[in-house]
Amino acid sequence: MASWQSNSEKPAMENNLQYHIQCKNGDVSKYVLLPGDPERVNDIANEWQEAKFIANNREFRTFSGKFFGVDISACSTGIGGASAAIAVEELANLGADTFIRIGTCGAIQENITCGDLIICSGAMRQDSTSEDYVDLSYPAIANHEIISALIAACEKLGVKYHVGISCTTASFHCGQARHGFRNYSQSKFENKIRDLQAAGVLNFEMEAATILTLAGIYGLRAGAIFTVVADRNRNEFRYSGVDLSIRAANEAVKILASCDNNAK
């Protein structure tokens, strides 16, 4: 990144160029897909009829284009709530108002297996980041229009999906009841999955609660869809099916855009 200066409250350059994501006015659509992995942005954009590379800085890679005539963007967030919050803040500064996280997750309910999709209706806020914005009693709820669009997209694609509450954690290992280095553990890890199962929680992941909380505070729309790659009940890890969540999210944007146009 070239040397530049700005005020410290809202670092930005000419044309509102954002410090972290390195995007400026006109670069992103109102509809933005948010994968964690920068490489997944390329996979998302490959589904579009038009795609243009915008920026790549740190963990944030951005493409914009058109999907069946709808202006659409994708920006990676990296892993965890802190970087996801930065992406949402800076994208919102540029006019984005509808966000769908596309992620992977670990399922904890017996009826969910690797390759299934999970549509997030809300999330437990164990992300640490969202607590910096508002008290933990504030709910992290997915926007009902996005939930409906994701369900419609999955139905159209004929893929197996589940709808429910996720647990967003700040740690992939101990936060999701895995043992740490040298088999490190604490007693609270032992019953975590069982307790969440009893409460009907579907899965672990690491960004949704942050994105949903910020969207709620700022009056934006947000939702999330995950591909299950870890089955914690059967102790299986299988990285496949991410293409299905990508297709569902792209299709959901098309559905949302149609509804938004009809509502005008």
Side-chain angles (χ1 to χ4, degrees), residues 166-207:
S166 302
C167 179
T168 301
T169 66
S171 162
F172 177 81
H173 295 95
C174 294
Q176 297 184 9
R178 293 181 172 93
H179 290 90
F181 178 58
R182 291 177 177 162
N183 214 33
Y184 172 78
S185 182
Q186 293 205 351
S187 59
K188 65 180 180 179
F189 301 170
E190 303 308 315
N191 294 321
K192 182 167 187 175
I193 289 178
R194 188 180 305 114
D195 290 345
L196 293 179
Q197 287 172 331
V201 176
L202 303 188
N203 63 301
F204 288 121
E205 63 85 53
M206 296 186 67
E207 290 83 28

Side-chain angles (χ1 to χ4, degrees), residues 66-199:
K66 287 186 180 292
F67 183 66
F68 290 96
V70 178
D71 290 330
I72 189 170
S73 298
C75 177
S76 56
T77 65
I79 298 174
S83 57
I86 287 172
V88 172
E89 290 273 7
E90 296 192 358
L91 289 163
N93 285 338
L94 298 176
D97 65 17
T98 301
F99 301 93
I100 300 178
R101 163 159 157 67
I102 304 175
T104 55
C105 73
I108 61 176
Q109 294 293 341
E110 286 283 353
N111 65 320
I112 305 176
T113 59
C114 289
D116 289 3
L117 302 186
I118 293 177
I119 296 169
C120 179
S121 59
M124 296 178 66
R125 291 173 53 201
Q126 297 182 8
D127 59 312
S128 296
T129 300
S130 65
E131 190 175 0
D132 283 346
Y133 283 82
V134 67
D135 185 84
L136 282 171
S137 60
Y138 187 94
I141 301 173
N143 175 268
H144 67 280
E145 295 169 327
I146 293 180
I147 295 173
S148 296
L150 287 168
I151 290 172
C154 287
E155 291 284 347
K156 179 178 179 179
L157 295 171
V159 297
K160 185 180 178 183
Y161 68 94
H162 312 264
V163 182
I165 302 295
S166 302
C167 179
T168 301
T169 66
S171 162
F172 177 81
H173 295 95
C174 294
Q176 297 184 9
R178 293 181 172 93
H179 290 90
F181 178 58
R182 291 177 177 162
N183 214 33
Y184 172 78
S185 182
Q186 293 205 351
S187 59
K188 65 180 180 179
F189 301 170
E190 303 308 315
N191 294 321
K192 182 167 187 175
I193 289 178
R194 188 180 305 114
D195 290 345
L196 293 179
Q197 287 172 331

